[in-house]
Amino acid sequence: GAVVSQHPSRVICKSGTSVKIECRSLDFQATTMFWYRQFPKQSLMLMATSNEGSKATYEQGVEKDKFLINHASLTLSTLTVTSAHPEDSSFYICSARDLRVPTYEQYFGPGTRLTVT
Amino acid sequence: GEDVEQSLFLSVREGDSSVINCTYTDSSSTYLYWYKQEPGAGLQLLTYIFSNMDMKQDQRLTVLLNKKDKHLSLRIADTQTGDSAIYFCAEKNNDMRFGAGTRLTVKP
């Protein structure tokens, strides 16, 4: 199946700094990428949906100025957590689809664990 | 928004069958999914079912869908210790929505 990678897999940063997480579709073109956040022992919460070349659509309650999403190409989307705080510590998972292709599947990356100290 | 609900925990003995249940509220769901998440890892698609199907079997996995009751189940036959993980039910209409996950523990 199609592969989605994320980098880094783990990152530790200090409060107040910014962290960028990359999501790449390796063998397909992703017209749409989704960013999820998962708290310990909880489900995935959709943060935002981005379409290539367009601004991301954020879910209610997600601060767009804090979680900057860029989807500049059909294979790369980035999530930047700006001015990170300890409460931003979480597991971030991206997912990708090619909406031009009728398919049931949405492909998930392996996740990035962010720890803010 | 629309909800997807699952029980949080299930414990079985190795070799027994596991049944994980899920209910959803969006009657317009087109696909329903089961994902497996091992500790510290992302989501692995186990199986899916189209909303006009009642059942799908794939090796040790059997998915049953009762569309009238909006109830989805995943049966794992001959459960092994390697099946210990969190299992997420998800439904998709436009967006994909996930349940909270069922933590399956398999005891030897």
Side-chain angles (χ1 to χ4, degrees):
Chain A
V3 177
V4 176
S5 71
Q6 281 185 241
H7 178 80
S9 57
R10 290 178 177 269
V11 58
I12 300 172
C13 70
K14 293 187 184 298
S15 287
T17 61
S18 295
V19 173
K20 181 184 284 188
I21 302 170
E22 292 185 350
C23 176
R24 292 181 185 274
S25 57
L26 297 186
D27 50 3
F28 70 104
Q29 293 183 327
T31 57
T32 304
M33 287 188 170
F34 307 86
W35 286 94
Y36 294 85
R37 182 173 180 178
Q38 185 181 30
F39 291 102
K41 299 183 181 179
Q42 293 190 30
S43 187
L44 281 73
M45 299 300 297
L46 180 65
M47 299 174 64
T49 302
S50 71
N51 293 299
E52 183 263 339
S54 307
K55 289 184 178 180
T57 302
Y58 290 80
E59 295 295 301
Q60 192 172 7
V62 178
E63 298 175 61
K64 61 180 181 182
D65 294 331
K66 180 165 186 63
F67 298 99
L68 301 179
I69 292 172
N70 183 283
H71 189 169
S73 79
L74 284 170
T75 58
L76 173 64
S77 176
T78 60
L79 167 68
T80 302
V81 183
T82 63
S83 186
H85 291 286
E87 56 265 31
D88 299 326
S89 298
S90 193
F91 194 54
Y92 293 87
I93 301 177
C94 75
S95 179
R97 284 183 61 192
D98 184 344
L99 286 183
R100 299 168 301 183
V101 177
T103 178
Y104 60 88
E105 190 159 4
Q106 188 171 303
Y107 305 101
F108 286 83
T112 296
R113 181 159 306 280
L114 170 63
T115 304
V116 184
T117 60
Chain B
E2 304 292 349
D3 291 332
V4 179
E5 295 189 354
Q6 309 176 230
S7 53
L8 295 181
F9 301 99
L10 177 65
S11 179
V12 301
R13 292 211 173 272
E14 192 173 18
D16 289 349
S17 292
S18 307
V19 179
I20 303 172
N21 294 301
C22 170
T23 58
Y24 61 98
T25 57
D26 187 354
S27 58
S28 301
S29 298
T30 51
Y31 291 99
L32 296 118
Y33 306 81
W34 285 103
Y35 285 88
K36 177 182 181 182
Q37 186 181 34
E38 300 192 48
L43 271 66
Q44 171 196 353
L45 177 65
L46 282 180
T47 187
Y48 71 97
I49 189 167
F50 190 50
S51 60
N52 68 353
M53 298 168 64
D54 298 324
M55 187 187 86
K56 181 177 180 181
Q57 186 158 359
D58 183 2
Q59 299 181 334
R60 292 191 296 125
L61 305 178
T62 303
V63 178
L64 295 178
L65 174 61
N66 181 326
K67 195 173 181 182
K68 174 176 171 289
D69 294 338
K70 300 190 189 70
H71 181 267
L72 183 74
S73 68
L74 173 68
R75 179 177 180 269
I76 305 172
D78 187 25
T79 313
Q80 302 297 306
T81 54
D83 295 325
S84 293
I86 300 176
Y87 290 81
F88 289 96
C89 164
E91 58 89 14
K92 185 170 85 68
N93 184 4
N94 293 313
D95 296 334
M96 185 173 282
R97 301 288 170 175
F98 290 85
T102 299
R103 183 177 295 275
L104 173 65
T105 303
V106 182
K107 298 179 179 178

